[in-house]
């Protein structure tokens, strides 16, 4: 039975791409069905957790055979939003910003970066992976009709709040913040903080903590 | 008082780069001291949490004035491992792998990618940001003395386990896994999973869940 709540707990969402990845691998191997037990073994978690997580998505299994692989992949891809194109603006075409613009994988997962912005005059007018870089002053003047809901922040941390304010004033509905700064935005704006360097600190701590 | 345990809980490590970023901004503004209350307000958490977190690092504050900014930045940078160079090999020079190779920021945070590996013959021998790409078959033959502790996996998910096995056999001590696959490695190997597309799924869910 599908859960009525639309906002799914983050720990559940963190597991789902791993479920999807595992079942896609089985699909490539020509398998037709997968049980919650098998997914649970792969994930090294309890099978009841798997069925509980999947109840959010509307995927339903059959007694004894489990989940149908093709159906599982289609529903979960859809549920995670990877099948729908979401347009985004990126502000900060420095090293990390350019790296994101280079990553064609993002489009496969539903994110289309339409335009990039920076303050460096030497970059304005150039393109990375077909995305043009504009001056950040032009952000304010961009027409509001262009159906862009997501703003990506890849500026230095001390500029993050200014960029967030600019995005909110423009009409962005969700912000993907790649800086370590904590931004303050109105409650109706969705924020996702992703600091890959934080993951690096966690890895270093695991590595050096055991030496 | 510094905590004796070397492995710091992950939620604590997740907050620390934000502390560091905030205090570095104050440092640039010429401020000399910062209180735990001020850090707590910025983070929107309790001040006792801040002092508890910082007790892991050995940073000590003074009554009434708080933490000394320069000292705070130096100790925390050091504690998070960002001041020390850690060498790494990257396997999978596709879109995401190349994006990581392009990101000069990683070096500032202590990660030096020495060599990259791929199976695509057209890429072998080329360089990205001064890092040469070798055939993955050469990975096994690399001399063990070259002081590389970290392996970065940016291959398609279905190849992740094979690459992890190769890295473990070679002598890698920590794996930074960017694929959504869950890899199985011996207990003494540190693993950090970072799936940026998972963050995208969380952002989409927040965005579309509130529509």
């Amino acid at each position: 039975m599908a859960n009525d709540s639309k906002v799914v707990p983050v720990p559940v969402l963190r597991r789902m791409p791993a479920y999807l990845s595992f079942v896609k691998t089985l699909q490539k191997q020509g398998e037709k069905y997968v049980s919650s037990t098998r997914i649970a073994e792969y994930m090294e978690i309890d099978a009841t957790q798997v069925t509980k997580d999947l109840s959010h998505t509307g995927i339903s299994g059959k007694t004894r055979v489990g989940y149908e692989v093709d159906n599982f992949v289609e529903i979960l891809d859809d549920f995670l939003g990877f099948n729908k194109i979401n347009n985004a603006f990126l502000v900060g075409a420095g090293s990390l910003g350019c790296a994101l613009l280079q990553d064609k994988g993002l489009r496969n997962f539903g994110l289309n970066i339409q335009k990039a912005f920076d303050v460096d005059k030497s970059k304005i007018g150039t393109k990375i992976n077909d995305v043009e870089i504009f001056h950040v002053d032009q952000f304010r003047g961009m027409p509001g009709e262009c159906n862009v809901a997501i703003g990506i922040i890849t500026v230095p941390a001390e500029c993050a709040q200014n960029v967030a304010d600019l995005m909110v004033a423009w009409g962005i509905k969700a912000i993907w913040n790649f800086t370590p700064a904590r931004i303050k935005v109105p409650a109706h704006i969705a924020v996702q903080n992703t600091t890959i360097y934080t993951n690096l600190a966690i890895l270093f701590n695991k590595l050096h903590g055991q030496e």
Side-chain angles (χ1 to χ4, degrees), chain A:
Chain A
M1 207 176 72
N3 191 307
D4 276 349
S5 167
K6 277 177 150 186
V7 177
V8 178
V10 168
V12 179
L13 284 173
R14 287 203 183 280
R15 284 188 289 271
M16 285 183 176
Y19 296 165
L20 181 60
S21 161
F22 177 57
V23 180
K24 274 187 178 172
T25 301
L26 297 180
Q27 188 182 38
K28 280 182 194 166
Q29 291 164 358
E31 304 221 21
K32 295 292 170 209
Y33 290 93
V34 60
S35 66
S36 55
T37 315
R38 192 163 169 203
I39 298 172
E41 277 165 12
Y42 171 77
M43 296 290 293
E44 296 178 340
I45 59 173
D46 202 83
T48 54
Q49 185 69 65
V50 174
T51 49
K52 203 178 153 196
D53 287 355
L54 292 174
S55 73
H56 289 279
T57 66
I59 296 174
S60 63
K62 288 176 196 164
T63 320
R64 273 188 294 273
V65 288
Y67 304 104
E68 209 239 307
V69 164
D70 291 345
N71 182 258
F72 187 107
V73 168
E74 197 186 323
I75 294 183
L76 198 50
D77 246 338
D78 214 55
F79 181 79
L80 293 174
F82 296 157
N83 276 344
K84 192 174 157 184
I85 286 297
N86 294 268
N87 292 317
F89 285 161
L90 177 145
V91 180
S95 182
L96 179 62
C98 287
L100 287 177
L101 291 171
Q102 298 275 359
D103 181 12
K104 292 187 179 111
L106 287 171
R107 210 172 194 288
N108 296 334
F109 285 89
L111 189 81
N112 177 42
I113 305 176
Q114 274 200 346
K115 290 183 172 71
F117 300 85
D118 203 283
V119 289
D120 181 348
K121 279 178 187 155
S122 70
K123 288 177 184 166
I124 313 303
T126 64
K127 283 184 179 183
I128 294 175
N129 202 9
D130 282 336
V131 181
E132 191 170 344
I133 301 173
F134 296 86
H135 194 280
V136 78
D137 288 344
Q138 293 179 266
F139 192 93
R140 226 178 279 270
M142 286 283 158
E145 81 244 39
C146 53
N147 197 23
V148 175
I150 298 173
I152 303 170
I153 305 183
T154 45
V155 294
E158 62 269 26
C159 309
Q161 186 61 53
N162 283 346
V163 170
D165 293 344
L166 186 68
M167 286 177 168
V168 171
W170 186 83
I172 286 289
K173 293 186 185 75
I175 293 178
W176 199 4
N177 173 29
F178 278 85
T179 80
R182 298 293 163 112
I183 54 171
K184 315 266 192 259
V185 294
H188 67 278
I189 307 289
V191 175
Q192 180 62 23
N193 297 310
T194 300
T195 323
I196 61 166
Y197 310 125
T198 299
N199 286 279
L200 200 50
I202 297 167
L203 184 71
F204 289 160
N205 189 259
K206 285 178 186 166
L207 176 65
H208 301 301
Q210 72 192 5
E211 275 172 354

